[in-house]
Amino acid sequence: MLARLLITALTFLASPLRAETVIVATAANALPAAEEIATAFTRETGIDVSLTHGSTGALYAQIVSGAPIDVFMAADDIRPSRLVSSGDASETRTYGVGRLILVGRSEISLETVADKFQGQTVAMADPLVAPYGLAAVVVMEKLRLDTATFRPVMAANVGQAAALFTTGNAEFAFVAASQAGLVSAPHTVSLDPIAPPISQNAALVGDSPEAKAFWGFLFSDTARDILSANAFGLPE
């Protein structure tokens, strides 16, 4: 019996310990970039990453409620700052600067939006929980668009707004520039002249060595290159 216990103990000590998985919650628009960053991080460190995504507001609520999240990649700078203020996160920092664009199946420009929207279905993220939805509202106000003249469809997040367009359930959609390659829209309009850039911050929620390792990697040159390739602006 003693010999069997010794063999078992020696076998355990000889086996490599599995690294703890880092749980990263990311805003929908940053998911493609986050997937690439996670892959690069795992390849370099051997630490697995589990990604969950959704609207910034919904993910924030989950973290406040105690969800086991290590790093939060939000689509704004407000909620990460709130997490630090409430003691739910230890640090916040800008990882990328997002941009809102308008995609359409028919040709459109800033000058023709009001006419082109007439009677059409327009997808956008819910402004109550999604920063890109709030940005879309700002754009519509500046363009003096009357929602009574078209059919706005609210999605839970900007990723779902893009999906509504991709599946043919919307003629136009307000989406993130980082999603342009995914929606393959026939026509794209830059909203840079009227939509302010969106500062997207991350928050360090977990305190494990693995969580801190991913946090450091998120601001590395490798991650910055990935974010830039996904149409994010980079903080200084």
Side-chain angles (χ1 to χ4, degrees):
M1 182 67 177
L2 180 59
R4 185 180 301 172
L5 289 173
L6 287 172
I7 292 173
T8 301
L10 289 172
T11 300
F12 174 78
L13 290 173
S15 302
L17 294 175
R18 291 193 62 185
E20 180 182 335
T21 298
V22 179
I23 302 175
V24 178
T26 177
N29 79 293
L31 179 60
E35 289 175 334
E36 293 184 43
I37 292 171
T39 297
F41 173 75
T42 299
R43 184 169 56 244
E44 182 173 307
T45 66
I47 302 171
D48 290 333
V49 178
S50 177
L51 285 171
T52 182
H53 63 94
S55 70
T56 291
L59 293 173
Y60 168 80
Q62 291 175 23
I63 294 171
V64 171
S65 297
I69 304 299
D70 290 309
V71 176
F72 177 33
M73 295 174 62
D76 67 7
D77 55 5
I78 297 173
R79 291 173 179 86
S81 294
R82 287 178 181 171
L83 290 175
V84 172
S85 296
S86 64
D88 292 298
S90 59
E91 188 176 350
T92 181
R93 183 175 171 185
T94 303
Y95 66 88
V97 181
R99 295 167 39 241
L100 183 72
I101 60 174
L102 174 63
V103 295
R105 301 190 184 287
S106 57
E107 190 172 354
I108 191 171
S109 67
L110 287 178
E111 293 74 27
T112 62
V113 170
D115 291 335
K116 293 288 187 177
F117 272 20
Q118 290 283 339
Q120 300 297 333
T121 301
V122 181
M124 58 181 288
D126 184 349
L128 295 179
V129 294
Y132 279 83
L134 185 60
V137 170
V138 171
V139 167
M140 289 191 294
E141 289 176 346
K142 288 185 177 181
L143 292 175
R144 298 183 179 179
L145 298 177
D146 184 356
T147 55
T149 64
F150 60 92
R151 299 189 296 274
V153 179
M154 296 293 175
N157 55 65
V158 74
Q160 290 186 17
L164 286 170
F165 178 82
T166 302
T167 55
N169 291 299
E171 183 70 16
F172 300 98
F174 289 100
V175 301
S178 57
Q179 298 169 308
L182 301 177
V183 298
S184 300
H187 302 280
T188 301
V189 178
S190 171
L191 299 174
D192 289 350
I194 54 177
I198 301 172
S199 181
Q200 299 196 201
N201 280 22
L204 177 59
V205 182
D207 61 359
S208 69
E210 293 80 8
K212 293 176 180 178
F214 183 86
W215 178 259
F217 189 83
L218 181 57
F219 304 102
S220 67
D221 289 341
T222 298
R224 286 170 63 87
D225 287 344
I226 291 172
L227 288 161
S228 180
N230 279 272
F232 282 96
L234 299 176
E236 295 297 330

